[in-house]
Amino acid sequence: MLRTITFIIISIILLSSFNKTRNTKPVITCTECETSWNYFSLTDTLKGSVLFHAKAPFTCGVLATASLTIVKTDNNDTIRVLWLCNKDVVFKKASTVKVYPEKKPNFGVLFPNKKSKYDCSIKNTCYGTIE
């Protein structure tokens, strides 16, 4: 009886540690960096160049989504522009664009899951429409 209980306990310990991953390097996701984003409201239209673009994960419906575009402005600022419900318009890197002001919504918005080197480094974030 004691052997059976010992065997079961050892088996449980071995099986529980069998599927554990050895990767100890923390993975930074976009959602981890969102808390450090500094939201501001655009007051005027601005021009700039696209550094990165990711379209919205799906069309707006029950949930709101937004595309995410990193723009280097003509004033040498780099900002993140969130465009609500933009699933169709895609911008290539180095495209010249105009950003029109939009208000930040008072509801939750889902962002693209596509990672970029700008996720945590660019803090200034606004809502806008891009042309």
Side-chain angles (χ1 to χ4, degrees):
M1 179 74 170
L2 184 58
R3 285 185 181 175
T4 306
I5 293 174
T6 306
F7 177 75
I8 291 173
I9 292 173
I10 291 173
S11 298
I12 291 172
I13 292 170
L14 289 174
L15 287 175
S16 66
S17 65
F18 184 73
N19 286 333
K20 295 201 178 195
T21 60
R22 301 279 183 218
N23 186 3
T24 58
K25 183 179 177 183
V27 177
I28 297 175
T29 63
C30 189
T31 55
E32 290 175 1
C33 300
E34 285 177 35
T35 56
S36 67
W37 293 357
N38 176 33
Y39 285 91
F40 71 97
S41 295
L42 279 178
T43 54
D44 291 321
T45 302
L46 56 86
K47 289 183 182 180
S49 178
V50 173
L51 299 177
F52 173 82
H53 175 78
K55 64 182 183 176
F58 49 85
T59 305
C60 284
V62 175
L63 299 172
T65 63
S67 64
L68 185 151
T69 309
I70 304 296
V71 177
K72 182 166 186 137
T73 68
D74 288 348
N75 297 337
N76 257 354
D77 291 332
T78 305
I79 63 171
R80 175 182 296 103
V81 180
L82 303 172
W83 182 359
L84 280 175
C85 303
N86 175 32
K87 171 118 173 69
D88 300 323
V89 181
V90 178
F91 299 99
K92 293 185 180 187
K93 188 174 181 179
S95 300
T96 302
V97 294
K98 281 185 182 178
V99 181
Y100 298 93
E102 293 287 339
K103 291 186 178 186
K104 182 180 177 183
N106 57 359
F107 46 83
V109 178
L110 297 174
F111 306 122
N113 201 15
K114 188 175 179 183
K115 304 293 178 221
S116 82
K117 63 182 180 180
Y118 304 105
D119 288 346
C120 295
S121 61
I122 303 302
K123 308 283 188 209
N124 292 332
T125 304
C126 66
Y127 281 85
T129 304
I130 303 173
E131 181 181 281

